[in-house]
PDB file of all heavy atoms in Angstrom:
ATOM      1  N   GLN A 187      -6.437   0.181 -11.072  1.00  0.00           N
ATOM      2  CA  GLN A 187      -5.076   0.637 -10.790  1.00  0.00           C
ATOM      3  C   GLN A 187      -4.790   0.284  -9.337  1.00  0.00           C
ATOM      4  O   GLN A 187      -5.674   0.398  -8.474  1.00  0.00           O
ATOM      5  CB  GLN A 187      -4.959   2.146 -10.977  1.00  0.00           C
ATOM      6  CG  GLN A 187      -5.162   2.617 -12.403  1.00  0.00           C
ATOM      7  CD  GLN A 187      -5.286   4.130 -12.426  1.00  0.00           C
ATOM      8  OE1 GLN A 187      -6.278   4.691 -11.985  1.00  0.00           O
ATOM      9  NE2 GLN A 187      -4.258   4.785 -12.923  1.00  0.00           N
ATOM     10  N   VAL A 188      -3.582  -0.143  -9.078  1.00  0.00           N
ATOM     11  CA  VAL A 188      -3.248  -0.561  -7.714  1.00  0.00           C
ATOM     12  C   VAL A 188      -1.889  -0.003  -7.303  1.00  0.00           C
ATOM     13  O   VAL A 188      -1.015   0.233  -8.142  1.00  0.00           O
ATOM     14  CB  VAL A 188      -3.227  -2.100  -7.572  1.00  0.00           C
ATOM     15  CG1 VAL A 188      -4.592  -2.691  -7.871  1.00  0.00           C
ATOM     16  CG2 VAL A 188      -2.165  -2.729  -8.473  1.00  0.00           C
ATOM     17  N   ILE A 189      -1.742   0.220  -6.010  1.00  0.00           N
ATOM     18  CA  ILE A 189      -0.438   0.470  -5.397  1.00  0.00           C
ATOM     19  C   ILE A 189      -0.196  -0.720  -4.492  1.00  0.00           C
ATOM     20  O   ILE A 189      -1.018  -1.027  -3.611  1.00  0.00           O
ATOM     21  CB  ILE A 189      -0.427   1.786  -4.596  1.00  0.00           C
ATOM     22  CG1 ILE A 189      -0.715   2.976  -5.522  1.00  0.00           C
ATOM     23  CG2 ILE A 189       0.930   1.976  -3.906  1.00  0.00           C
ATOM     24  CD1 ILE A 189      -0.898   4.304  -4.789  1.00  0.00           C
ATOM     25  N   ARG A 190       0.901  -1.448  -4.720  1.00  0.00           N
ATOM     26  CA  ARG A 190       1.151  -2.661  -3.948  1.00  0.00           C
ATOM     27  C   ARG A 190       2.641  -2.864  -3.739  1.00  0.00           C
ATOM     28  O   ARG A 190       3.478  -2.313  -4.453  1.00  0.00           O
ATOM     29  CB  ARG A 190       0.555  -3.881  -4.642  1.00  0.00           C
ATOM     30  CG  ARG A 190       1.204  -4.232  -5.977  1.00  0.00           C
ATOM     31  CD  ARG A 190       0.712  -5.591  -6.474  1.00  0.00           C
ATOM     32  NE  ARG A 190       1.214  -5.947  -7.800  1.00  0.00           N
ATOM     33  CZ  ARG A 190       2.408  -6.491  -8.044  1.00  0.00           C
ATOM     34  NH1 ARG A 190       3.231  -6.718  -7.040  1.00  0.00           N
ATOM     35  NH2 ARG A 190       2.774  -6.787  -9.280  1.00  0.00           N
ATOM     36  N   TRP A 191       2.942  -3.669  -2.748  1.00  0.00           N
ATOM     37  CA  TRP A 191       4.322  -4.083  -2.547  1.00  0.00           C
ATOM     38  C   TRP A 191       4.700  -5.078  -3.637  1.00  0.00           C
ATOM     39  O   TRP A 191       3.876  -5.912  -4.037  1.00  0.00           O
ATOM     40  CB  TRP A 191       4.494  -4.726  -1.165  1.00  0.00           C
ATOM     41  CG  TRP A 191       4.249  -3.773  -0.026  1.00  0.00           C
ATOM     42  CD1 TRP A 191       3.123  -3.670   0.731  1.00  0.00           C
ATOM     43  CD2 TRP A 191       5.147  -2.768   0.439  1.00  0.00           C
ATOM     44  NE1 TRP A 191       3.256  -2.662   1.662  1.00  0.00           N
ATOM     45  CE2 TRP A 191       4.497  -2.088   1.506  1.00  0.00           C
ATOM     46  CE3 TRP A 191       6.439  -2.364   0.083  1.00  0.00           C
ATOM     47  CZ2 TRP A 191       5.088  -1.036   2.203  1.00  0.00           C
ATOM     48  CZ3 TRP A 191       7.029  -1.324   0.775  1.00  0.00           C
ATOM     49  CH2 TRP A 191       6.365  -0.669   1.815  1.00  0.00           C
ATOM     50  N   LEU A 192       5.905  -4.968  -4.136  1.00  0.00           N
ATOM     51  CA  LEU A 192       6.349  -5.875  -5.191  1.00  0.00           C
ATOM     52  C   LEU A 192       6.218  -7.309  -4.693  1.00  0.00           C
ATOM     53  O   LEU A 192       6.770  -7.669  -3.655  1.00  0.00           O
ATOM     54  CB  LEU A 192       7.809  -5.569  -5.564  1.00  0.00           C
ATOM     55  CG  LEU A 192       8.277  -6.064  -6.920  1.00  0.00           C
ATOM     56  CD1 LEU A 192       7.566  -5.304  -8.034  1.00  0.00           C
ATOM     57  CD2 LEU A 192       9.791  -5.873  -7.067  1.00  0.00           C
ATOM     58  N   GLU A 193       5.427  -8.119  -5.417  1.00  0.00           N
ATOM     59  CA  GLU A 193       5.160  -9.515  -5.049  1.00  0.00           C
ATOM     60  C   GLU A 193       4.527  -9.609  -3.657  1.00  0.00           C
ATOM     61  O   GLU A 193       4.758 -10.583  -2.927  1.00  0.00           O
ATOM     62  CB  GLU A 193       6.452 -10.341  -5.109  1.00  0.00           C
ATOM     63  CG  GLU A 193       7.093 -10.366  -6.490  1.00  0.00           C
ATOM     64  CD  GLU A 193       8.402 -11.137  -6.505  1.00  0.00           C
ATOM     65  OE1 GLU A 193       8.879 -11.517  -5.418  1.00  0.00           O
ATOM     66  OE2 GLU A 193       8.944 -11.342  -7.595  1.00  0.00           O
ATOM     67  N   GLY A 194       3.739  -8.587  -3.292  1.00  0.00           N
ATOM     68  CA  GLY A 194       3.129  -8.590  -1.963  1.00  0.00           C
ATOM     69  C   GLY A 194       1.731  -8.020  -1.967  1.00  0.00           C
ATOM     70  O   GLY A 194       1.047  -7.983  -2.993  1.00  0.00           O
ATOM     71  N   GLU A 195       1.287  -7.535  -0.828  1.00  0.00           N
ATOM     72  CA  GLU A 195      -0.088  -7.116  -0.642  1.00  0.00           C
ATOM     73  C   GLU A 195      -0.385  -5.764  -1.287  1.00  0.00           C
ATOM     74  O   GLU A 195       0.493  -4.920  -1.452  1.00  0.00           O
ATOM     75  CB  GLU A 195      -0.409  -7.042   0.855  1.00  0.00           C
ATOM     76  CG  GLU A 195       0.397  -5.982   1.599  1.00  0.00           C
ATOM     77  CD  GLU A 195       0.010  -5.886   3.066  1.00  0.00           C
ATOM     78  OE1 GLU A 195      -1.162  -6.116   3.383  1.00  0.00           O
ATOM     79  OE2 GLU A 195       0.898  -5.553   3.867  1.00  0.00           O
ATOM     80  N   GLU A 196      -1.680  -5.576  -1.636  1.00  0.00           N
ATOM     81  CA  GLU A 196      -2.151  -4.299  -2.158  1.00  0.00           C
ATOM     82  C   GLU A 196      -2.323  -3.303  -1.019  1.00  0.00           C
ATOM     83  O   GLU A 196      -2.721  -3.668   0.083  1.00  0.00           O
ATOM     84  CB  GLU A 196      -3.503  -4.473  -2.860  1.00  0.00           C
ATOM     85  CG  GLU A 196      -3.415  -5.089  -4.220  1.00  0.00           C
ATOM     86  CD  GLU A 196      -4.781  -5.132  -4.903  1.00  0.00           C
ATOM     87  OE1 GLU A 196      -5.738  -4.527  -4.361  1.00  0.00           O
ATOM     88  OE2 GLU A 196      -4.884  -5.762  -5.961  1.00  0.00           O
ATOM     89  N   VAL A 197      -2.061  -2.042  -1.338  1.00  0.00           N
ATOM     90  CA  VAL A 197      -2.254  -0.968  -0.364  1.00  0.00           C
ATOM     91  C   VAL A 197      -3.417  -0.075  -0.790  1.00  0.00           C
ATOM     92  O   VAL A 197      -4.226   0.358   0.032  1.00  0.00           O
ATOM     93  CB  VAL A 197      -0.959  -0.135  -0.221  1.00  0.00           C
ATOM     94  CG1 VAL A 197      -1.166   1.013   0.756  1.00  0.00           C
ATOM     95  CG2 VAL A 197       0.199  -1.020   0.228  1.00  0.00           C
ATOM     96  N   VAL A 198      -3.512   0.216  -2.104  1.00  0.00           N
ATOM     97  CA  VAL A 198      -4.585   1.043  -2.656  1.00  0.00           C
ATOM     98  C   VAL A 198      -5.102   0.365  -3.922  1.00  0.00           C
ATOM     99  O   VAL A 198      -4.314  -0.146  -4.725  1.00  0.00           O
ATOM    100  CB  VAL A 198      -4.093   2.471  -2.997  1.00  0.00           C
ATOM    101  CG1 VAL A 198      -5.222   3.311  -3.585  1.00  0.00           C
ATOM    102  CG2 VAL A 198      -3.510   3.158  -1.767  1.00  0.00           C
ATOM    103  N   ASN A 199      -6.437   0.382  -4.089  1.00  0.00           N
ATOM    104  CA  ASN A 199      -7.055  -0.184  -5.276  1.00  0.00           C
ATOM    105  C   ASN A 199      -8.108   0.804  -5.793  1.00  0.00           C
ATOM    106  O   ASN A 199      -8.999   1.205  -5.047  1.00  0.00           O
ATOM    107  CB  ASN A 199      -7.713  -1.530  -4.937  1.00  0.00           C
ATOM    108  CG  ASN A 199      -8.265  -2.238  -6.161  1.00  0.00           C
ATOM    109  OD1 ASN A 199      -9.117  -1.707  -6.855  1.00  0.00           O
ATOM    110  ND2 ASN A 199      -7.791  -3.456  -6.418  1.00  0.00           N
ATOM    111  N   SER A 200      -7.988   1.208  -7.060  1.00  0.00           N
ATOM    112  CA  SER A 200      -8.886   2.228  -7.612  1.00  0.00           C
ATOM    113  C   SER A 200     -10.345   1.762  -7.621  1.00  0.00           C
ATOM    114  O   SER A 200     -11.256   2.566  -7.448  1.00  0.00           O
ATOM    115  CB  SER A 200      -8.452   2.604  -9.036  1.00  0.00           C
ATOM    116  OG  SER A 200      -8.568   1.492  -9.918  1.00  0.00           O
ATOM    117  N   ARG A 201     -10.578   0.465  -7.819  1.00  0.00           N
ATOM    118  CA  ARG A 201     -11.948  -0.039  -7.848  1.00  0.00           C
ATOM    119  C   ARG A 201     -12.611   0.091  -6.476  1.00  0.00           C
ATOM    120  O   ARG A 201     -13.795   0.406  -6.371  1.00  0.00           O
ATOM    121  CB  ARG A 201     -11.964  -1.503  -8.298  1.00  0.00           C
ATOM    122  CG  ARG A 201     -11.388  -1.742  -9.677  1.00  0.00           C
ATOM    123  CD  ARG A 201     -12.351  -1.365 -10.778  1.00  0.00           C
ATOM    124  NE  ARG A 201     -13.330  -2.410 -11.012  1.00  0.00           N
ATOM    125  CZ  ARG A 201     -14.251  -2.359 -11.962  1.00  0.00           C
ATOM    126  NH1 ARG A 201     -14.326  -1.298 -12.737  1.00  0.00           N
ATOM    127  NH2 ARG A 201     -15.104  -3.337 -12.134  1.00  0.00           N
ATOM    128  N   GLU A 202     -11.828  -0.137  -5.438  1.00  0.00           N
ATOM    129  CA  GLU A 202     -12.374   0.034  -4.089  1.00  0.00           C
ATOM    130  C   GLU A 202     -12.693   1.502  -3.819  1.00  0.00           C
ATOM    131  O   GLU A 202     -13.706   1.825  -3.195  1.00  0.00           O
ATOM    132  CB  GLU A 202     -11.382  -0.503  -3.057  1.00  0.00           C
ATOM    133  CG  GLU A 202     -11.233  -2.009  -3.082  1.00  0.00           C
ATOM    134  CD  GLU A 202     -10.264  -2.507  -2.025  1.00  0.00           C
ATOM    135  OE1 GLU A 202      -9.866  -1.693  -1.160  1.00  0.00           O
ATOM    136  OE2 GLU A 202      -9.908  -3.702  -2.062  1.00  0.00           O
ATOM    137  N   LEU A 203     -11.831   2.392  -4.309  1.00  0.00           N
ATOM    138  CA  LEU A 203     -12.107   3.829  -4.159  1.00  0.00           C
ATOM    139  C   LEU A 203     -13.385   4.199  -4.892  1.00  0.00           C
ATOM    140  O   LEU A 203     -14.209   4.972  -4.384  1.00  0.00           O
ATOM    141  CB  LEU A 203     -10.937   4.651  -4.707  1.00  0.00           C
ATOM    142  CG  LEU A 203      -9.686   4.768  -3.838  1.00  0.00           C
ATOM    143  CD1 LEU A 203      -8.588   5.487  -4.617  1.00  0.00           C
ATOM    144  CD2 LEU A 203      -9.979   5.506  -2.550  1.00  0.00           C
ATOM    145  N   GLU A 204     -13.570   3.653  -6.093  1.00  0.00           N
ATOM    146  CA  GLU A 204     -14.772   3.954  -6.875  1.00  0.00           C
ATOM    147  C   GLU A 204     -16.038   3.501  -6.155  1.00  0.00           C
ATOM    148  O   GLU A 204     -17.055   4.195  -6.162  1.00  0.00           O
ATOM    149  CB  GLU A 204     -14.677   3.287  -8.245  1.00  0.00           C
ATOM    150  CG  GLU A 204     -13.684   3.950  -9.185  1.00  0.00           C
ATOM    151  CD  GLU A 204     -13.518   3.225 -10.501  1.00  0.00           C
ATOM    152  OE1 GLU A 204     -14.011   2.087 -10.624  1.00  0.00           O
ATOM    153  OE2 GLU A 204     -12.895   3.797 -11.406  1.00  0.00           O
ATOM    154  N   ARG A 205     -15.963   2.322  -5.527  1.00  0.00           N
ATOM    155  CA  ARG A 205     -17.136   1.823  -4.808  1.00  0.00           C
ATOM    156  C   ARG A 205     -17.503   2.735  -3.637  1.00  0.00           C
ATOM    157  O   ARG A 205     -18.681   2.953  -3.354  1.00  0.00           O
ATOM    158  CB  ARG A 205     -16.878   0.394  -4.324  1.00  0.00           C
ATOM    159  CG  ARG A 205     -17.046  -0.659  -5.416  1.00  0.00           C
ATOM    160  CD  ARG A 205     -17.069  -2.054  -4.859  1.00  0.00           C
ATOM    161  NE  ARG A 205     -15.743  -2.482  -4.416  1.00  0.00           N
ATOM    162  CZ  ARG A 205     -14.881  -3.118  -5.203  1.00  0.00           C
ATOM    163  NH1 ARG A 205     -15.191  -3.378  -6.462  1.00  0.00           N
ATOM    164  NH2 ARG A 205     -13.706  -3.494  -4.748  1.00  0.00           N
ATOM    165  N   LYS A 206     -16.485   3.281  -2.981  1.00  0.00           N
ATOM    166  CA  LYS A 206     -16.736   4.145  -1.831  1.00  0.00           C
ATOM    167  C   LYS A 206     -17.206   5.537  -2.254  1.00  0.00           C
ATOM    168  O   LYS A 206     -18.055   6.135  -1.607  1.00  0.00           O
ATOM    169  CB  LYS A 206     -15.469   4.261  -0.980  1.00  0.00           C
ATOM    170  CG  LYS A 206     -15.077   2.963  -0.293  1.00  0.00           C
ATOM    171  CD  LYS A 206     -13.752   3.111   0.452  1.00  0.00           C
ATOM    172  CE  LYS A 206     -13.355   1.795   1.118  1.00  0.00           C
ATOM    173  NZ  LYS A 206     -12.034   1.895   1.789  1.00  0.00           N
ATOM    174  N   ILE A 207     -16.632   6.037  -3.351  1.00  0.00           N
ATOM    175  CA  ILE A 207     -16.937   7.403  -3.792  1.00  0.00           C
ATOM    176  C   ILE A 207     -18.150   7.438  -4.714  1.00  0.00           C
ATOM    177  O   ILE A 207     -18.900   8.423  -4.749  1.00  0.00           O
ATOM    178  CB  ILE A 207     -15.697   8.020  -4.490  1.00  0.00           C
ATOM    179  CG1 ILE A 207     -14.556   8.160  -3.476  1.00  0.00           C
ATOM    180  CG2 ILE A 207     -16.011   9.380  -5.096  1.00  0.00           C
ATOM    181  CD1 ILE A 207     -13.232   8.566  -4.083  1.00  0.00           C
ATOM    182  N   GLY A 208     -18.341   6.368  -5.481  1.00  0.00           N
ATOM    183  CA  GLY A 208     -19.482   6.315  -6.389  1.00  0.00           C
ATOM    184  C   GLY A 208     -19.231   6.943  -7.739  1.00  0.00           C
ATOM    185  O   GLY A 208     -20.163   7.169  -8.514  1.00  0.00           O
ATOM    186  N   LYS A 209     -17.963   7.226  -8.076  1.00  0.00           N
ATOM    187  CA  LYS A 209     -17.615   7.826  -9.363  1.00  0.00           C
ATOM    188  C   LYS A 209     -16.324   7.196  -9.878  1.00  0.00           C
ATOM    189  O   LYS A 209     -15.570   6.584  -9.117  1.00  0.00           O
ATOM    190  CB  LYS A 209     -17.429   9.346  -9.231  1.00  0.00           C
ATOM    191  CG  LYS A 209     -18.699  10.089  -8.830  1.00  0.00           C
ATOM    192  CD  LYS A 209     -18.432  11.583  -8.743  1.00  0.00           C
ATOM    193  CE  LYS A 209     -19.701  12.346  -8.365  1.00  0.00           C
ATOM    194  NZ  LYS A 209     -19.458  13.804  -8.253  1.00  0.00           N
ATOM    195  N   GLU A 210     -16.069   7.377 -11.207  1.00  0.00           N
ATOM    196  CA  GLU A 210     -14.836   6.854 -11.787  1.00  0.00           C
ATOM    197  C   GLU A 210     -13.623   7.566 -11.190  1.00  0.00           C
ATOM    198  O   GLU A 210     -13.600   8.792 -11.080  1.00  0.00           O
ATOM    199  CB  GLU A 210     -14.831   7.029 -13.308  1.00  0.00           C
ATOM    200  CG  GLU A 210     -15.704   6.029 -14.033  1.00  0.00           C
ATOM    201  CD  GLU A 210     -15.367   5.951 -15.510  1.00  0.00           C
ATOM    202  OE1 GLU A 210     -14.529   6.741 -15.978  1.00  0.00           O
ATOM    203  OE2 GLU A 210     -15.933   5.085 -16.198  1.00  0.00           O
ATOM    204  N   VAL A 211     -12.617   6.782 -10.840  1.00  0.00           N
ATOM    205  CA  VAL A 211     -11.428   7.311 -10.174  1.00  0.00           C
ATOM    206  C   VAL A 211     -10.190   6.992 -10.997  1.00  0.00           C
ATOM    207  O   VAL A 211     -10.059   5.884 -11.542  1.00  0.00           O
ATOM    208  CB  VAL A 211     -11.291   6.702  -8.758  1.00  0.00           C
ATOM    209  CG1 VAL A 211      -9.901   6.945  -8.186  1.00  0.00           C
ATOM    210  CG2 VAL A 211     -12.349   7.278  -7.822  1.00  0.00           C
ATOM    211  N   LEU A 212      -9.278   7.962 -11.097  1.00  0.00           N
ATOM    212  CA  LEU A 212      -7.985   7.753 -11.745  1.00  0.00           C
ATOM    213  C   LEU A 212      -6.884   8.026 -10.728  1.00  0.00           C
ATOM    214  O   LEU A 212      -6.792   9.125 -10.181  1.00  0.00           O
ATOM    215  CB  LEU A 212      -7.819   8.695 -12.937  1.00  0.00           C
ATOM    216  CG  LEU A 212      -6.487   8.578 -13.699  1.00  0.00           C
ATOM    217  CD1 LEU A 212      -6.463   7.318 -14.547  1.00  0.00           C
ATOM    218  CD2 LEU A 212      -6.242   9.799 -14.575  1.00  0.00           C
ATOM    219  N   LEU A 213      -6.065   7.019 -10.432  1.00  0.00           N
ATOM    220  CA  LEU A 213      -4.901   7.240  -9.569  1.00  0.00           C
ATOM    221  C   LEU A 213      -3.876   8.064 -10.350  1.00  0.00           C
ATOM    222  O   LEU A 213      -3.552   7.749 -11.494  1.00  0.00           O
ATOM    223  CB  LEU A 213      -4.289   5.912  -9.130  1.00  0.00           C
ATOM    224  CG  LEU A 213      -5.089   5.054  -8.145  1.00  0.00           C
ATOM    225  CD1 LEU A 213      -4.284   3.806  -7.763  1.00  0.00           C
ATOM    226  CD2 LEU A 213      -5.446   5.844  -6.893  1.00  0.00           C
TER     227      LEU A 213
END
């Protein structure tokens, strides 16, 4: 799951959060 600017850069990515937290994440 991602939060991004329309046709632009990502701001939040659930997979990156999972890697940092070590558990499944749901935005």
Side-chain angles (χ1 to χ4, degrees):
Q187 295 169 289
V188 298
I189 299 173
R190 66 170 176 83
W191 295 101
L192 200 68
E193 300 177 352
E195 64 177 328
E196 283 184 9
V197 178
V198 179
N199 185 301
S200 64
R201 300 282 279 183
E202 291 181 10
L203 283 174
E204 287 176 349
R205 281 192 287 269
K206 293 176 181 177
I207 295 172
K209 296 181 179 179
E210 284 197 355
V211 165
L212 180 74
L213 290 183

